[in-house]
Amino acid sequence: MSDFNFQEELHKLPNQPGVYIMHDESDAIIYVGKAKNLHNRVRSYFRKIVGRGPQIDKMVSLIDRFEYIVTDSEVEALVLENNLIKEYSPKYNTMLKDDKTYPYIKVTLGEEFPRVLLARQVKKDKSKYYGPYPSNGAVNDTIDLINKVFKLKTCNRNLPRDIGKDRACLNYHIDQCMAPCCGYVTKEEYAKKIKDVIAFLNGEYKDTLKDLESKMFKLSEEMKFEEAATVRDLYNSVKAISERQKITAYNDDDKDLIALAKDEEDAVVQIFFIRGGKLIGREHHYMTHVSGAPTNSILLDFVKQFYAGTPFVPRELILAEEIEDIDVLEQYLSTRRGSKCTITIPKIGQKEKLIELAKKNAELVLSKDKEQLKLKEARTIGAVHEIEEILGIPSLNRMEAFDISNISGFLNVGSMVVFEKGVAKKSDYRKFKMKTVAGPNDYACMKEVLTRRFLHGMEEEAELDSKNIDKSYGSFTKFPDLLLMDGGRGQVNIALEVLDELHLNIPVCGMVKDDNHNTRGLYFNNVELPINRNSEGFKLITRIQDEAHRFAIEYHRSLRNKSQVKSILDDIPGVGSARRKALIRAFSSIDDIKNASVLELSKIDEIPENVAEEIYNFFHKNQ
């Protein structure tokens, strides 16, 4: 225990709003909360209260000290609480597990010739936003349909500045753009199309369907059946969207309906997105650290965390049950929205029916996905825990694996793959082309790769430190908790040699293969450790080893393909890129060039007589 004097510190607590932060004996933050009155709220944790739940009792028993931050209002406290929870992920706070950003449809009304795009953020600009939508696919499908129906500009040419400066692109020639870049449509005509697009996005499909139907019949009468079929397909696509939008709320406001399902260990929150009175999609989110927590408390934590991260706040939140701090939340959400946001808990009527529907969906997701989620966790986190036990290394988060690929020493390359919490982190993968090793020497190649990887990380870290920049901004600064080598003692010793030279202390483990090139065990601390071939840990090791091998092979193949694209003409003295192109334009094949005389070759403007002789001699020197 620390020298923290609880009685004295509790006595000092102010009667003001703010945030309190609980630390354990290792000084880790285990809980963050907000309070209307810090003095009353924090003191309540240390009174003997019956019925507050084993989760809170356990948390209180671990508190070694607390600190607090005073704010001017409850709303400020709520914002600060959210920020601290996101930053520190305290063990005893209920956490929103999903980290999603929702797509929106953006109409760029600030441009003279607006476009329809996918956007991840709602900005305070002149554009009009629709959404959020449940997936990228839903947005892309809608944008694709809009562009086909209304033939809008999709490029980023600056209009009207660049009108007439270039030819119309392919979209114009396949009748999917009106080509404002060439002046084929006036600004007024284009603006009318944009007005129709906005009506379409607002759910007004009748005029669009009528226009498409009229165009389809006209093309049929003109015997243009292929074009009529294309319009018919667009008509059917628009009609399908209109049919999907028939589930409506009883007015045209934007609303989110939120309900929750919970069992002993997990909780799922279901959201229905209603935009312009229409149900456009739904999403579910898992909440962690929910054991013993009441449903209204989980719902409150979800609302705070979700709407701190989403760029769009609707006019109304409809919740399945009463939660605390509704007035404070309404103030906070209204500030984020820029206008009034209300929270309602319906008891009867259509809203209550929709909430029941959302709750049933949450219960279905919870029961359906529970086993699948457990299986996924076993394959990832569970597998990592198995490897921790086999090697006796606690807290394995980041693992890096390396492999070398070449063909008889040709184009030596190395790969680095990264797994965090048992899942591949492809953004951190790296490729290496050998700079110092020629010929088939895997050990020398591995030494170069590892030296470059860790030296780069150390240099990058030093540079960031000198500029007082957090090292997490570096691409190589995050070092692994475990280094996995594709092989046994030899490869492990190479890695240990590099780490020793660089004065780094990182555990190194070899992934040993049998005579059939299958993983059979782990080589660690000079001992080969057996591993159950049916275990998730073994399967994870195999996945990592296969991934390192695949990544190296693919890189080697890409380099090999590039080298094979090289023309035989590149080997002729005096023939560079421009002269090679001139030869190819003048002669239909390499054989024609080979059979040409010096006179015929020198007739090409770019080929002087001395180079023509070089070309002729190159092909005829062995004849």
Side-chain angles (χ1 to χ4, degrees), residues 291-374:
S291 178
T295 54
N296 62 349
S297 172
I298 300 168
L299 204 56
L300 171 64
D301 288 328
F302 172 81
V303 171
K304 289 191 293 185
Q305 293 175 46
F306 180 78
Y307 291 100
T310 184
F312 181 82
V313 176
R315 183 184 296 275
E316 183 181 13
L317 294 191
I318 302 171
L319 306 184
E321 57 185 300
E322 295 280 351
I323 57 173
E324 292 182 359
D325 301 324
I326 283 184
D327 55 341
V328 177
L329 270 176
E330 284 183 336
Q331 288 180 54
Y332 169 63
L333 294 172
S334 298
T335 302
R336 290 219 62 228
R337 175 179 165 81
S339 60
K340 181 68 174 174
C341 174
T342 58
I343 298 174
T344 57
I345 295 86
K347 303 298 181 186
I348 57 172
Q350 189 172 11
K351 289 183 181 180
E352 194 271 338
K353 288 177 183 176
L354 283 169
I355 278 289
E356 278 300 312
L357 183 61
K359 189 170 183 179
K360 284 178 183 175
N361 274 268
E363 289 168 351
L364 183 65
V365 170
L366 188 63
S367 60
K368 179 182 172 184
D369 290 355
K370 196 169 180 62
E371 291 306 314
Q372 188 177 345
L373 283 168
K374 285 184 176 178

XYZ file of all heavy atoms in Angstrom, residues 291-374:
665
model
N -20.104 -7.630 -16.310
C -20.541 -8.570 -15.263
C -21.024 -7.812 -14.027
O -20.309 -6.981 -13.461
C -19.367 -9.490 -14.896
O -19.749 -10.369 -13.872
N -22.255 -8.089 -13.625
C -22.807 -7.459 -12.428
C -23.366 -6.070 -12.642
O -23.994 -5.506 -11.746
N -23.161 -5.491 -13.831
C -23.643 -4.126 -14.081
C -25.104 -4.164 -14.524
O -25.491 -5.000 -15.345
C -22.794 -3.454 -15.155
N -25.957 -3.264 -14.011
C -27.360 -3.227 -14.452
C -27.459 -2.741 -15.899
O -26.591 -2.012 -16.383
C -28.011 -2.237 -13.482
C -26.897 -1.404 -12.949
C -25.675 -2.269 -12.962
N -28.523 -3.131 -16.572
C -28.664 -2.807 -18.007
C -28.721 -1.300 -18.251
O -28.191 -0.812 -19.245
C -29.917 -3.473 -18.588
O -31.055 -3.110 -17.806
C -29.766 -4.976 -18.617
N -29.389 -0.553 -17.351
C -29.477 0.898 -17.585
C -28.114 1.576 -17.458
O -27.821 2.569 -18.131
C -30.510 1.556 -16.664
C -30.167 1.416 -15.195
O -29.269 0.653 -14.817
N -30.883 2.144 -14.364
N -27.239 1.015 -16.614
C -25.883 1.550 -16.480
C -25.065 1.268 -17.745
O -24.314 2.131 -18.220
C -25.195 0.922 -15.265
O -23.838 1.274 -15.222
N -25.217 0.061 -18.310
C -24.513 -0.290 -19.554
C -25.000 0.593 -20.698
O -24.212 1.088 -21.511
C -24.734 -1.774 -19.898
C -24.196 -2.677 -18.781
C -24.075 -2.135 -21.216
C -24.630 -4.126 -18.902
N -26.315 0.806 -20.737
C -26.904 1.650 -21.778
C -26.368 3.082 -21.686
O -26.044 3.709 -22.700
C -28.425 1.644 -21.628
C -29.268 1.960 -22.870
C -28.933 1.021 -24.017
C -30.742 1.879 -22.521
N -26.250 3.599 -20.470
C -25.714 4.941 -20.257
C -24.275 5.024 -20.763
O -23.902 5.963 -21.480
C -25.774 5.291 -18.761
C -25.047 6.569 -18.338
C -25.679 7.788 -18.988
C -25.057 6.713 -16.818
N -23.446 4.026 -20.399
C -22.042 4.028 -20.838
C -21.945 3.944 -22.358
O -21.090 4.583 -22.975
C -21.286 2.853 -20.204
C -21.032 3.069 -18.721
O -20.863 4.227 -18.330
O -21.010 2.083 -17.965
N -22.835 3.159 -22.962
C -22.813 3.058 -24.425
C -23.111 4.402 -25.077
O -22.411 4.836 -25.993
C -23.829 2.020 -24.907
C -23.978 2.034 -26.404
C -23.056 1.387 -27.209
C -25.018 2.739 -27.012
C -23.168 1.426 -28.592
C -25.124 2.791 -28.393
C -24.203 2.122 -29.187
N -24.175 5.054 -24.633
C -24.574 6.329 -25.234
C -23.440 7.345 -25.121
O -23.113 8.047 -26.086
C -25.864 6.859 -24.579
C -26.160 8.284 -25.044
C -27.038 5.947 -24.909
N -22.827 7.427 -23.940
C -21.738 8.394 -23.744
C -20.575 8.113 -24.687
O -20.041 9.018 -25.329
C -21.258 8.355 -22.286
C -22.249 8.940 -21.299
C -21.647 9.120 -19.915
C -21.326 7.809 -19.244
N -20.851 7.968 -17.867
N -20.168 6.840 -24.771
C -18.983 6.500 -25.560
C -19.265 6.527 -27.061
O -18.436 6.997 -27.849
C -18.464 5.122 -25.148
C -17.916 5.099 -23.725
C -17.523 3.695 -23.281
O -16.874 2.964 -24.006
N -17.934 3.331 -22.076
N -20.419 6.040 -27.470
C -20.727 5.970 -28.901
C -20.846 7.363 -29.512
O -20.270 7.656 -30.569
C -22.015 5.190 -29.135
C -22.395 5.072 -30.583
C -21.762 4.158 -31.417
C -23.394 5.876 -31.126
C -22.103 4.061 -32.758
C -23.739 5.779 -32.469
C -23.089 4.863 -33.278
N -21.586 8.254 -28.847
C -21.822 9.574 -29.432
C -20.670 10.542 -29.192
O -20.651 11.639 -29.753
C -23.153 10.139 -28.950
C -24.302 9.362 -29.522
C -24.960 8.385 -28.779
C -24.682 9.537 -30.850
C -25.980 7.629 -29.324
C -25.702 8.788 -31.408
C -26.339 7.830 -30.644
O -27.341 7.075 -31.199
N -19.678 10.118 -28.412
C -18.430 10.889 -28.335
C -17.583 10.637 -29.567
O -16.727 11.436 -29.926
C -17.642 10.513 -27.087
N -17.830 9.500 -30.254
C -16.989 9.113 -31.381
C -17.640 9.233 -32.746
O -16.953 9.304 -33.750
N -18.971 9.249 -32.812
C -19.632 9.324 -34.119
C -19.790 10.777 -34.557
O -20.037 11.657 -33.721
C -21.018 8.646 -34.071
O -21.589 8.654 -35.371
C -21.962 9.346 -33.116
N -19.612 11.066 -35.850
C -19.684 12.467 -36.292
C -21.105 13.016 -36.381
O -21.291 14.212 -36.508
C -19.046 12.423 -37.687
C -19.255 11.027 -38.162
C -19.211 10.169 -36.944
N -22.110 12.134 -36.332
C -23.487 12.590 -36.506
C -24.302 12.289 -35.257
O -24.290 11.167 -34.751
C -24.117 11.901 -37.712
C -25.536 12.336 -37.980
C -25.788 13.504 -38.676
C -26.612 11.580 -37.532
C -27.099 13.909 -38.924
C -27.912 11.981 -37.773
C -28.160 13.155 -38.471
N -25.004 13.276 -34.758
C -25.918 13.101 -33.621
C -27.322 13.417 -34.133
O -27.562 14.505 -34.666
C -25.555 14.032 -32.449
C -26.573 13.893 -31.320
C -24.150 13.732 -31.940
N -28.279 12.490 -34.001
C -29.635 12.730 -34.520
C -30.412 13.701 -33.636
O -29.971 14.068 -32.547
C -30.253 11.335 -34.490
C -29.565 10.656 -33.355
C -28.150 11.167 -33.362
N -31.579 14.045 -34.117
C -32.437 14.951 -33.345
C -32.972 14.282 -32.080
O -33.210 14.929 -31.070
C -33.611 15.419 -34.214
C -34.536 16.430 -33.541
C -35.716 16.751 -34.432
N -35.284 17.407 -35.650
C -35.082 18.713 -35.758
N -35.273 19.494 -34.722
N -34.701 19.228 -36.906
N -33.146 12.947 -32.146
C -33.759 12.246 -31.008
C -33.102 10.889 -30.791
O -32.813 10.164 -31.742
C -35.252 12.060 -31.270
C -36.007 11.407 -30.113
C -37.488 11.210 -30.415
O -37.896 11.347 -31.591
O -38.232 10.911 -29.467
N -32.850 10.555 -29.521
C -32.448 9.206 -29.133
C -33.630 8.559 -28.433
O -34.201 9.139 -27.496
C -31.263 9.219 -28.162
C -29.908 9.734 -28.634
C -28.850 9.390 -27.595
C -29.526 9.162 -29.972
N -33.988 7.362 -28.873
C -35.097 6.629 -28.252
C -34.489 5.416 -27.570
O -33.904 4.542 -28.227
C -36.128 6.200 -29.301
C -36.650 7.446 -30.051
C -37.273 5.442 -28.664
C -37.505 7.121 -31.260
N -34.587 5.357 -26.255
C -33.942 4.308 -25.473
C -34.965 3.329 -24.918
O -36.135 3.673 -24.708
C -33.146 4.909 -24.313
C -32.117 5.989 -24.666
C -31.359 6.414 -23.417
C -31.151 5.504 -25.738
N -34.485 2.112 -24.642
C -35.371 1.057 -24.158
C -35.738 1.237 -22.693
O -36.750 0.708 -22.239
C -34.713 -0.305 -24.368
N -34.900 1.956 -21.925
C -35.207 2.141 -20.503
C -34.590 3.428 -19.982
O -33.727 4.025 -20.629
C -34.718 0.939 -19.684
C -33.230 0.647 -19.814
C -32.846 -0.618 -19.070
O -33.053 -0.666 -17.846
O -32.335 -1.545 -19.723
N -35.043 3.827 -18.805
C -34.552 5.053 -18.183
C -33.075 4.914 -17.822
O -32.628 3.850 -17.397
C -35.342 5.350 -16.897
C -36.807 5.667 -17.107
C -37.037 7.106 -17.543
O -36.065 7.895 -17.512
O -38.177 7.443 -17.906
N -32.330 6.007 -17.998
C -30.928 6.030 -17.577
C -30.694 7.279 -16.738
O -31.491 8.223 -16.754
C -29.965 6.039 -18.785
C -30.246 7.239 -19.699
C -30.041 4.744 -19.564
C -29.232 7.417 -20.807
N -29.576 7.295 -16.011
C -29.222 8.467 -15.211
C -28.742 9.602 -16.119
O -28.358 9.383 -17.272
C -28.097 8.117 -14.226
C -28.501 7.148 -13.134
C -27.346 6.889 -12.171
O -26.250 7.457 -12.396
O -27.529 6.105 -11.231
N -28.735 10.776 -15.560
C -28.102 11.948 -16.192
C -28.687 12.289 -17.566
O -27.978 12.768 -18.451
C -26.593 11.730 -16.342
C -25.899 11.484 -15.016
O -26.309 12.098 -14.025
O -24.942 10.684 -14.996
N -29.992 12.057 -17.759
C -30.579 12.357 -19.062
C -30.432 13.840 -19.406
O -30.084 14.191 -20.539
C -32.061 11.934 -19.107
C -32.156 10.407 -19.291
C -32.803 12.629 -20.246
C -33.552 9.883 -19.440
N -30.640 14.726 -18.439
C -30.548 16.160 -18.727
C -29.133 16.563 -19.123
O -28.925 17.349 -20.050
C -31.036 16.981 -17.529
C -30.310 16.625 -16.239
O -29.710 15.536 -16.181
O -30.322 17.440 -15.298
N -28.132 15.981 -18.430
C -26.734 16.281 -18.753
C -26.383 15.745 -20.144
O -25.736 16.425 -20.949
C -25.779 15.671 -17.706
C -24.321 15.933 -18.091
C -26.067 16.230 -16.331
N -26.828 14.513 -20.423
C -26.570 13.915 -21.739
C -27.217 14.733 -22.853
O -26.620 14.929 -23.920
C -27.114 12.483 -21.777
C -26.157 11.376 -21.352
C -26.878 10.037 -21.365
C -24.943 11.315 -22.270
N -28.431 15.198 -22.632
C -29.111 16.012 -23.645
C -28.340 17.296 -23.926
O -28.191 17.707 -25.082
C -30.544 16.329 -23.204
C -31.492 15.153 -23.351
C -32.917 15.508 -22.976
O -33.117 16.472 -22.205
O -33.837 14.832 -23.456
N -27.804 17.921 -22.868
C -26.987 19.124 -23.065
C -25.754 18.801 -23.902
O -25.410 19.520 -24.849
C -26.531 19.684 -21.712
C -27.608 20.355 -20.891
C -27.026 20.869 -19.577
O -26.044 21.607 -19.555
N -27.616 20.448 -18.468
N -25.088 17.707 -23.544
C -23.858 17.310 -24.237
C -24.133 16.983 -25.709
O -23.437 17.459 -26.616
C -23.250 16.097 -23.527
C -22.135 15.421 -24.284
C -20.946 16.088 -24.563
C -22.265 14.107 -24.725
C -19.919 15.467 -25.265
C -21.249 13.475 -25.425
C -20.069 14.163 -25.683
O -19.074 13.551 -26.378
N -25.178 16.176 -25.948
C -25.505 15.772 -27.321
C -25.985 16.960 -28.145
O -25.681 17.052 -29.344
C -26.570 14.676 -27.303
C -26.125 13.335 -26.686
C -27.320 12.395 -26.537
C -25.037 12.673 -27.515
N -26.709 17.871 -27.536
C -27.174 19.074 -28.240
C -25.986 19.934 -28.649
O -25.955 20.506 -29.745
C -28.135 19.875 -27.367
O -29.298 19.117 -27.070
N -24.979 20.010 -27.775
C -23.765 20.768 -28.109
C -23.043 20.128 -29.283
O -22.606 20.811 -30.213
C -22.820 20.828 -26.892
O -23.513 21.432 -25.799
C -21.575 21.646 -27.210
N -22.926 18.800 -29.265
C -22.245 18.091 -30.352
C -23.034 18.203 -31.653
O -22.449 18.299 -32.729
C -22.071 16.609 -30.007
C -21.066 16.346 -28.912
C -20.242 15.103 -29.183
N -19.468 15.227 -30.392
C -19.407 14.310 -31.338
N -20.090 13.195 -31.243
N -18.670 14.491 -32.417
N -24.336 18.188 -31.556
C -25.190 18.262 -32.747
C -25.232 19.674 -33.328
O -25.324 19.854 -34.539
C -26.600 17.794 -32.386
C -27.614 17.936 -33.513
C -28.982 17.443 -33.094
N -29.989 17.896 -34.037
C -30.252 17.328 -35.209
N -29.563 16.270 -35.578
N -31.181 17.807 -36.008
N -25.166 20.670 -32.426
C -25.311 22.049 -32.876
C -26.738 22.529 -32.831
O -27.046 23.661 -33.201
N -27.654 21.669 -32.386
C -29.061 22.027 -32.186
C -29.650 21.011 -31.196
O -28.978 20.079 -30.785
C -29.829 22.015 -33.509
O -29.782 20.737 -34.109
N -30.900 21.187 -30.876
C -31.522 20.393 -29.815
C -31.529 18.898 -30.115
O -31.889 18.464 -31.205
C -32.961 20.880 -29.605
C -33.741 20.163 -28.505
C -33.184 20.485 -27.130
C -34.047 19.889 -26.020
N -33.437 20.065 -24.689
N -31.110 18.102 -29.126
C -31.230 16.639 -29.178
C -31.963 16.194 -27.923
O -31.589 16.582 -26.812
C -29.852 15.977 -29.247
S -29.911 14.170 -29.135
N -33.000 15.387 -28.092
C -33.787 14.931 -26.949
C -33.662 13.420 -26.788
O -33.426 12.692 -27.758
C -35.276 15.297 -27.107
O -35.754 14.715 -28.325
C -35.460 16.804 -27.163
N -33.814 12.970 -25.551
C -33.782 11.538 -25.232
C -35.157 11.149 -24.710
O -35.666 11.769 -23.768
C -32.711 11.215 -24.181
C -31.320 11.571 -24.722
C -32.761 9.742 -23.784
C -30.200 11.416 -23.697
N -35.775 10.141 -25.316
C -37.099 9.700 -24.880
C -37.093 8.203 -24.599
O -36.322 7.445 -25.198
C -38.173 10.020 -25.936
O -37.800 9.407 -27.174
C -38.308 11.512 -26.154
N -37.975 7.791 -23.679
C -38.154 6.375 -23.345
C -39.633 6.061 -23.548
O -40.474 6.360 -22.679
C -37.718 6.060 -21.894
C -36.209 6.288 -21.715
C -38.034 4.601 -21.554
C -35.811 7.677 -21.390
N -40.006 5.520 -24.700
C -41.429 5.320 -25.011
C -42.040 4.167 -24.212
O -41.371 3.173 -23.926
C -41.412 4.995 -26.507
C -40.079 4.363 -26.739
C -39.132 5.058 -25.794
N -43.287 4.301 -23.875
C -44.012 3.261 -23.141
C -45.089 2.608 -23.998
O -45.435 1.446 -23.810
C -44.661 3.852 -21.881
C -43.688 4.531 -20.936
C -42.635 3.572 -20.393
C -41.685 4.280 -19.426
N -40.590 3.390 -19.003
N -45.618 3.363 -24.952
C -46.658 2.839 -25.840
C -46.434 3.395 -27.247
O -45.610 4.289 -27.439
C -48.088 3.221 -25.365
C -48.224 4.748 -25.240
C -48.430 2.547 -24.054
C -49.643 5.217 -24.962
N -47.147 2.859 -28.217
C -47.128 3.418 -29.560
C -46.064 2.824 -30.466
O -45.419 1.822 -30.141
N -45.867 3.471 -31.627
C -44.986 2.944 -32.659
C -43.524 2.921 -32.212
O -42.773 1.996 -32.521
C -45.126 3.771 -33.942
C -44.403 3.144 -35.122
C -44.704 3.868 -36.412
O -45.281 4.933 -36.404
N -44.306 3.287 -37.530
N -43.095 3.972 -31.486
C -41.712 4.006 -31.014
C -41.430 2.821 -30.091
O -40.361 2.201 -30.166
C -41.439 5.314 -30.262
C -41.392 6.549 -31.147
C -41.052 7.771 -30.318
C -41.016 9.032 -31.171
N -40.688 10.233 -30.368
N -42.395 2.508 -29.235
C -42.210 1.388 -28.294
C -42.112 0.075 -29.060
O -41.320 -0.806 -28.715
C -43.378 1.377 -27.306
C -43.143 0.498 -26.077
C -43.594 -0.944 -26.285
O -44.451 -1.160 -27.175
O -43.081 -1.830 -25.580
N -42.883 -0.055 -30.157
C -42.823 -1.273 -30.968
C -41.467 -1.411 -31.649
O -40.906 -2.500 -31.741
C -43.946 -1.258 -32.012
C -45.332 -1.479 -31.419
C -46.412 -1.388 -32.488
C -47.809 -1.552 -31.859
N -48.875 -1.361 -32.869
N -40.940 -0.289 -32.140
C -39.622 -0.315 -32.772
C -38.524 -0.653 -31.761
O -37.573 -1.366 -32.072
C -39.327 1.031 -33.443
C -40.031 1.267 -34.779
C -39.890 2.713 -35.209
C -39.492 0.339 -35.856
N -38.678 -0.136 -30.545
C -37.701 -0.460 -29.489
C -37.739 -1.952 -29.174
O -36.700 -2.600 -28.979
C -37.996 0.375 -28.212
C -37.393 1.772 -28.361
C -37.442 -0.287 -26.967
C -35.871 1.825 -28.306
N -38.933 -2.517 -29.132
C -39.061 -3.959 -28.897
C -38.389 -4.747 -30.015
O -37.738 -5.767 -29.778
C -40.542 -4.350 -28.801
C -41.161 -4.103 -27.446
C -40.459 -4.883 -26.346
O -40.231 -6.094 -26.523
O -40.106 -4.270 -25.327
N -38.548 -4.263 -31.249
C -37.908 -4.912 -32.392
C -36.386 -4.850 -32.255
O -35.683 -5.839 -32.507
C -38.352 -4.229 -33.684
C -37.829 -4.837 -34.993
C -38.300 -6.274 -35.158
C -38.270 -3.989 -36.185
N -35.864 -3.691 -31.850
C -34.422 -3.538 -31.654
C -33.922 -4.479 -30.553
O -32.861 -5.096 -30.672
C -34.089 -2.087 -31.301
N -34.729 -4.616 -29.481
C -34.333 -5.489 -28.369
C -34.305 -6.950 -28.809
O -33.385 -7.709 -28.456
C -35.306 -5.306 -27.200
C -34.851 -6.004 -25.927
C -35.698 -5.594 -24.743
C -35.172 -6.262 -23.471
N -35.948 -5.865 -22.284
N -35.292 -7.363 -29.584
C -35.315 -8.740 -30.083
C -34.103 -9.015 -30.967
O -33.508 -10.091 -30.931
C -36.609 -8.999 -30.865
C -37.829 -9.182 -29.976
C -39.084 -9.388 -30.813
C -40.327 -9.491 -29.914
N -41.567 -9.583 -30.717
N -33.725 -8.017 -31.776
C -32.543 -8.162 -32.622
C -31.274 -8.301 -31.785
O -30.383 -9.083 -32.109
C -32.414 -6.964 -33.567
C -33.209 -7.143 -34.841
O -32.710 -7.624 -35.839
N -34.474 -6.770 -34.787
N -31.189 -7.517 -30.708
C -30.026 -7.599 -29.818
C -29.943 -8.982 -29.173
O -28.868 -9.586 -29.072
C -30.109 -6.519 -28.746
N -31.095 -9.508 -28.732
C -31.126 -10.841 -28.117
C -30.712 -11.915 -29.126
O -29.993 -12.864 -28.781
C -32.535 -11.126 -27.579
C -32.890 -10.296 -26.362
C -34.376 -10.356 -26.017
O -35.154 -10.925 -26.843
O -34.763 -9.838 -24.959
N -31.146 -11.740 -30.359
C -30.803 -12.702 -31.409
C -29.300 -12.690 -31.685
O -28.667 -13.745 -31.785
C -31.574 -12.349 -32.683
C -31.397 -13.308 -33.870
C -31.964 -14.681 -33.529
C -32.082 -12.752 -35.111
N -28.731 -11.505 -31.783
C -27.278 -11.393 -32.026
C -26.498 -12.010 -30.881
O -25.519 -12.732 -31.088
C -26.882 -9.903 -32.208
C -25.367 -9.743 -32.204
C -27.447 -9.356 -33.497
N -26.946 -11.733 -29.655
C -26.241 -12.250 -28.480
C -26.218 -13.765 -28.471
O -25.176 -14.392 -28.247
C -26.901 -11.712 -27.204
C -26.176 -11.996 -25.883
C -24.818 -11.325 -25.861
C -27.023 -11.516 -24.712
N -27.366 -14.388 -28.743
C -27.436 -15.854 -28.714
C -26.740 -16.471 -29.931
O -26.055 -17.482 -29.829
C -28.894 -16.313 -28.680
O -29.589 -15.853 -29.826
N -26.870 -15.827 -31.085
C -26.325 -16.383 -32.317
C -24.801 -16.282 -32.374
O -24.107 -17.195 -32.819
C -26.932 -15.635 -33.516
C -26.441 -16.092 -34.873
C -27.072 -15.244 -35.962
C -26.469 -15.549 -37.314
N -27.005 -14.659 -38.362
N -24.275 -15.132 -31.939
C -22.850 -14.874 -32.121
C -21.984 -15.286 -30.936
O -20.765 -15.266 -31.028
C -22.627 -13.378 -32.373
C -23.161 -12.950 -33.726
O -23.605 -13.834 -34.480
O -23.140 -11.755 -34.019
N -22.616 -15.657 -29.831
C -21.839 -15.919 -28.615
C -20.792 -17.017 -28.828
O -19.619 -16.852 -28.510
C -22.780 -16.298 -27.477
C -22.130 -16.212 -26.113
C -23.182 -16.335 -25.042
C -22.574 -16.264 -23.660
N -21.910 -14.989 -23.393
N -21.228 -18.149 -29.366
C -20.290 -19.254 -29.580
C -19.237 -18.887 -30.622
O -18.064 -19.242 -30.493
C -21.052 -20.513 -30.017
C -21.920 -21.121 -28.927
C -21.135 -21.394 -27.649
O -20.020 -21.943 -27.753
O -21.621 -21.036 -26.568
N -19.676 -18.173 -31.649
C -18.733 -17.765 -32.700
C -17.671 -16.825 -32.133
O -16.488 -16.927 -32.465
C -19.497 -17.071 -33.822
C -18.651 -16.779 -35.047
C -19.471 -16.161 -36.166
O -20.696 -16.200 -36.152
N -18.794 -15.593 -37.126
N -18.084 -15.912 -31.265
C -17.142 -14.992 -30.652
C -16.167 -15.722 -29.732
O -14.973 -15.427 -29.701
C -17.893 -13.925 -29.848
C -18.540 -12.811 -30.673
C -19.477 -11.998 -29.796
C -17.475 -11.915 -31.270
N -16.688 -16.697 -28.992
C -15.808 -17.465 -28.117
C -14.769 -18.238 -28.925
O -13.600 -18.350 -28.541
C -16.635 -18.423 -27.253
C -17.375 -17.732 -26.119
C -18.099 -18.737 -25.242
C -18.747 -18.031 -24.049
N -19.505 -18.960 -23.200
